[in-house]
Structure formats: structure tokens, C-alpha cells
Amino acid sequence: DKNRHCVQFIRDTAQKLSFSIHVFQQDVFRIDWQLFTGFDLVFADPPYDIPHDAYLTLIDNIFSHKV
């Protein structure tokens, strides 16, 4: 998420639940995908008003870079 309050909420919640996670404050469409590999789960919450092809590009980036 790119909102710092949301990122902090996610981190706080994960800590309360004893989850070991990595949370990144980043715009999902500006990520250098080569820096991110080997994750079990990627939760990318892009804006809902983006074109459908942008979602497809996001999905392609995740799989093509083996995130």
C-alpha cells in the first residue's frame, strides 16, 4: 500500500497475530519487480478505477518476475 497509515495498520495487525510478514509502502505500479522474489503471497491493492489492462499488467509482472 502506498498509504503510510494503512501500512502501519497492517504491520500492527500482523504483530498482534504473530504473523511474520514483509509490508512495503510502495505504489504497486512503480515497483522494481526485480527486487522482489520468493514471496508466498502478494497482496497488491491497486485503485479500483484503473483500466482492466493495468490489472493484467500487474499480474503479468508478478508471474514473469517470479515474485
Side-chain angles (χ1 to χ4, degrees):
D1 203 304
K2 63 181 182 178
N3 182 300
R4 66 182 174 91
H5 298 290
C6 292
V7 169
Q8 191 58 51
F9 174 78
I10 294 166
R11 286 181 176 142
D12 292 344
T13 302
Q15 183 178 16
K16 289 177 187 174
L17 297 172
S18 299
F19 288 168
S20 176
I21 65 171
H22 299 282
V23 182
F24 301 96
Q25 184 176 340
Q26 180 75 38
D27 183 332
V28 71
F29 295 106
R30 295 181 181 202
I31 289 176
D32 181 354
W33 289 101
Q34 295 178 357
L35 300 176
F36 299 92
T37 59
F39 290 94
D40 296 321
L41 175 68
V42 175
F43 181 80
D45 187 19
Y48 294 104
D49 60 346
I50 65 169
H52 181 71
D53 61 328
Y55 283 112
L56 297 178
T57 299
L58 173 61
I59 293 167
D60 183 55
N61 280 329
I62 291 170
F63 283 101
S64 66
H65 291 94
K66 299 180 180 172
V67 174

